[in-house]
Amino acid sequence: VEGGAGRRFSVRRAVRWGDADPAGLIYGPRCFDYAVEAVEAFWEAVLGLGFLDLHRAHRMGAPWVHASCDYLRPLAPGDEVEVTLAVERLGASSITYRIEGAGPDGQAAFRVTLVSAMVDLDTGKPTPVPEAMRERVRPYLVGA
Amino acid sequence: VEGGAGRRFSVRRAVRWGDADPAGLIYGPRCFDYAVEAVEAFWEAVLGLGFLDLHRAHRMGAPWVHASCDYLRPLAPGDEVEVTLAVERLGASSITYRIEGAGPDGQAAFRVTLVSAMVDLDTGKPTPVPEAMRERVRPYLVGA
Amino acid sequence: VEGGAGRRFSVRRAVRWGDADPAGLIYGPRCFDYAVEAVEAFWEAVLGLGFLDLHRAHRMGAPWVHASCDYLRPLAPGDEVEVTLAVERLGASSITYRIEGAGPDGQAAFRVTLVSAMVDLDTGKPTPVPEAMRERVRPYLVGA
Amino acid sequence: VEGGAGRRFSVRRAVRWGDADPAGLIYGPRCFDYAVEAVEAFWEAVLGLGFLDLHRAHRMGAPWVHASCDYLRPLAPGDEVEVTLAVERLGASSITYRIEGAGPDGQAAFRVTLVSAMVDLDTGKPTPVPEAMRERVRPYLVGA
């Protein structure tokens, strides 16, 4: 586990009509979709590779081992959401992301934690997060 | 193109809360999910193989080349839907499915047409639907 | 039916990991999600109201009566898609959208047609597209 | 908080092609969809009302305030999953569900916790879980 510079990565998206349920608000599981999308965008922008590259070029996978969400404020279709990602923990072969979605008023609407394990696709076993990746992830670690 | 015995294959499922939008009714694109699920169940039950087997064991894929839906009656969360599949056309390297979803009143709520091409995953080119599969699909062809 | 200036409306989005299936390419029904999202963004940007406003402030709905898609080229996770919308037909109480998704190479990957009916939520019956909306939609009509 | 008889409620479903991602396994957020579907089926079967009835007839909502999932074993398209629900806690105005998804080998593949708050739709405030509902939920409380 390493301390970090506390950088943040963020993406914006709108809550879509199809993301909401008959209560007129975002359907709970969709917040996890938003969070995974943010991690995917983080990989592309910061690590310089997509999940598909990770699989095909590196023969590694990064399956989720844990996911949780606290729902703080409702979001409705049309709402712009700023989804902000930080890295809570960079373990030997795991990464813990802390993701917050803020609604149009700037207040946190949901807080997601996602933990992924790095896995060697050929052995099916955990494998260390490569140093080249660690270096790029480190600045996003929340401060100690 | 071959004539057929007009057999039908059907699956039942409920419209779920997360399948509906703030209008309180099924979100349109979900009908295509229901239709694809019916095709998948048809493959498993009638052809004896899943899409994953098709890819891995046969090195073939069956991508969609066309999809269309007529929305006839609304469906709401909790509604039981009977999704019934027939095969409209069995081409040399394509299959056209006709899928109908009937609501709790037994009336058609949506009618989907799906056309899939059989593709060789190694060449990326169309490939004939194997005779062993044709034989199993044939009884589901709508009568001439 | 009216002729039009042929304006286009477009939005960009990436194909996400969760939008793709084990074939490694976009799961067919997701193209309809992308198309509906484009219509929703068009309503907000061009008509100045969201689907929720239409329901709550205007007591009108715009359910889909028909949807179809031609799949032309595969799209993979990470691909940027430009989704472009034009209005093919502005009927008395219906709107027909023509939506094209172009992949990173600029080539059309899918072409969707969506037809929505304007419905009075209190009577459940078709109702004319209000003139104030027609005026804003007209410039997006494809040329005669 | 009340002790309980430890009854279980379960539903079966298959992992569908569209639920899996390019890794060939279930896309993480889908486990929450499966869990919410199980809660919805539990409401219909045990409480005798759907979420829509709760909203429309009772003017109450049951939004999620927390959701978490531990991913224990991968699931692939075609896998039959038995989703089993128990009630972990029946608070004054909240219900905590414990949901487990078991794969074809009978082993737990994921464990979800969902917490919902009972809300009065007219005031937007928490409201007690009605006694008639508590009575039906109680047998599903995990033993003290």
Side-chain angles (χ1 to χ4, degrees):
Chain A
V1 185
E2 314 173 49
R7 253 205 199 162
R8 297 288 177 270
F9 174 80
S10 71
V11 290
R12 295 186 69 81
R13 60 159 298 153
V15 177
R16 298 289 51 164
W17 183 253
D19 294 336
D21 64 27
L25 302 171
I26 196 170
Y27 175 63
R30 287 302 82 78
C31 294
F32 290 101
D33 290 88
Y34 289 16
V36 172
E37 284 171 22
V39 173
E40 200 183 348
F42 173 77
W43 274 68
E44 289 167 357
V46 173
L47 298 182
L49 84 170
F51 289 168
L52 213 54
D53 304 311
L54 182 72
H55 276 74
R56 297 192 176 161
H58 297 255
R59 297 290 306 147
M60 290 194 284
W64 305 114
V65 293
H66 178 77
S68 70
C69 183
D70 288 306
Y71 298 95
L72 307 170
R73 275 179 178 73
L75 290 168
D79 283 355
E80 279 285 326
V81 186
E82 177 149 34
V83 185
T84 301
L85 177 156
V87 175
E88 190 169 304
R89 189 176 179 278
L90 178 52
S93 59
S94 74
I95 307 179
T96 302
Y97 304 92
R98 190 193 287 179
I99 296 145
E100 186 177 295
D105 60 359
Q107 306 260 29
F110 61 83
R111 272 199 201 102
V112 166
T113 298
L114 290 173
V115 184
S116 74
M118 197 64 68
V119 171
D120 180 313
L121 292 183
D122 295 315
T123 66
K125 300 247 164 95
T127 188
V129 180
E131 181 51 32
M133 290 184 195
R134 306 183 75 83
E135 220 165 281
R136 289 168 177 237
V137 168
R138 228 170 257 136
Y140 294 87
L141 266 167
V142 295
Chain B
V1 184
E2 314 173 50
R7 253 205 199 161
R8 297 287 177 272
F9 174 81
S10 70
V11 290
R12 295 185 69 81
R13 59 160 298 154
V15 177
R16 300 286 54 164
W17 182 253
D19 294 336
D21 64 28
L25 303 170
I26 195 170
Y27 174 62
R30 288 301 83 77
C31 294
F32 290 100
D33 290 88
Y34 289 17
V36 171
E37 284 171 22
V39 173
E40 199 183 347
F42 172 77
W43 273 68
E44 289 166 357
V46 173
L47 298 182
L49 83 171
F51 290 168
L52 213 55
D53 304 311
L54 181 71
H55 276 74
R56 297 192 175 158
H58 296 255
R59 297 289 308 146
M60 290 195 283
W64 307 112
V65 293
H66 178 77
S68 69
C69 183
D70 288 305
Y71 298 94
L72 307 170
R73 274 178 179 72
L75 291 168
D79 284 354
E80 279 286 326
V81 185
E82 176 148 35
V83 185
T84 302
L85 176 156
V87 176
E88 191 169 302
R89 188 175 179 280
L90 178 51
S93 60
S94 74
I95 307 179
T96 302
Y97 304 92
R98 191 194 284 180
I99 296 145
E100 186 176 293
D105 60 359
Q107 306 260 28
F110 62 83
R111 272 198 202 104
V112 166
T113 299
L114 290 174
V115 185
S116 74
M118 196 63 69
V119 170
D120 180 313
L121 291 183
D122 294 315
T123 66
K125 300 247 164 95
T127 188
V129 180
E131 182 50 34
M133 289 185 196
R134 306 183 74 84
E135 221 165 282
R136 289 169 178 237
V137 169
R138 226 170 260 137
Y140 294 87
L141 265 167
V142 294
Chain C
V1 184
E2 315 172 48
R7 255 203 196 162
R8 297 288 178 270
F9 173 81
S10 70
V11 289
R12 295 185 69 81
R13 60 159 299 153
V15 177
R16 301 287 52 165
W17 183 253
D19 294 334
D21 63 28
L25 303 171
I26 195 170
Y27 174 61
R30 287 301 83 78
C31 293
F32 290 101
D33 289 88
Y34 289 17
V36 171
E37 283 171 21
V39 173
E40 199 183 348
F42 173 77
W43 273 68
E44 288 167 357
V46 173
L47 297 182
L49 83 172
F51 289 169
L52 213 55
D53 305 311
L54 182 71
H55 276 73
R56 298 193 176 160
H58 296 255
R59 298 290 306 147
M60 291 195 282
W64 305 114
V65 293
H66 178 78
S68 69
C69 183
D70 289 305
Y71 299 94
L72 308 171
R73 275 180 178 71
L75 290 168
D79 283 354
E80 280 285 328
V81 186
E82 176 149 33
V83 185
T84 301
L85 176 156
V87 176
E88 190 169 303
R89 189 176 178 278
L90 177 52
S93 59
S94 73
I95 307 178
T96 302
Y97 304 92
R98 191 193 285 179
I99 296 144
E100 187 176 294
D105 60 359
Q107 306 261 28
F110 62 83
R111 273 200 199 101
V112 167
T113 299
L114 290 173
V115 184
S116 74
M118 197 64 68
V119 170
D120 180 314
L121 291 183
D122 294 315
T123 66
K125 301 246 163 95
T127 190
V129 180
E131 181 52 32
M133 290 184 195
R134 305 182 75 84
E135 221 165 281
R136 289 168 178 238
V137 168
R138 226 170 259 136
Y140 294 87
L141 267 167
V142 294
Chain D
V1 185
E2 314 172 49
R7 253 203 199 161
R8 297 288 178 271
F9 173 82
S10 71
V11 289
R12 295 186 69 80
R13 58 159 299 153
V15 177
R16 300 288 53 164
W17 183 252
D19 294 336
D21 63 28
L25 303 170
I26 197 170
Y27 174 62
R30 287 302 82 78
C31 293
F32 290 100
D33 290 88
Y34 289 17
V36 172
E37 285 171 20
V39 173
E40 199 183 347
F42 172 77
W43 274 68
E44 290 167 357
V46 173
L47 298 181
L49 83 171
F51 290 168
L52 213 54
D53 304 312
L54 181 72
H55 276 74
R56 296 193 177 159
H58 297 255
R59 298 289 308 146
M60 291 194 284
W64 306 113
V65 293
H66 179 77
S68 69
C69 183
D70 288 306
Y71 299 95
L72 307 170
R73 274 180 178 73
L75 290 168
D79 283 355
E80 279 286 326
V81 185
E82 176 148 36
V83 184
T84 301
L85 176 156
V87 176
E88 190 169 303
R89 189 176 179 277
L90 178 52
S93 59
S94 74
I95 307 178
T96 301
Y97 304 92
R98 191 193 284 179
I99 296 145
E100 186 176 293
D105 59 0
Q107 305 261 30
F110 62 84
R111 272 197 202 105
V112 166
T113 299
L114 289 174
V115 184
S116 74
M118 197 63 69
V119 170
D120 180 312
L121 291 184
D122 295 316
T123 66
K125 301 244 164 96
T127 190
V129 180
E131 181 51 33
M133 290 185 195
R134 305 182 75 84
E135 222 165 281
R136 290 168 177 235
V137 169
R138 227 170 258 134
Y140 294 87
L141 267 167
V142 294

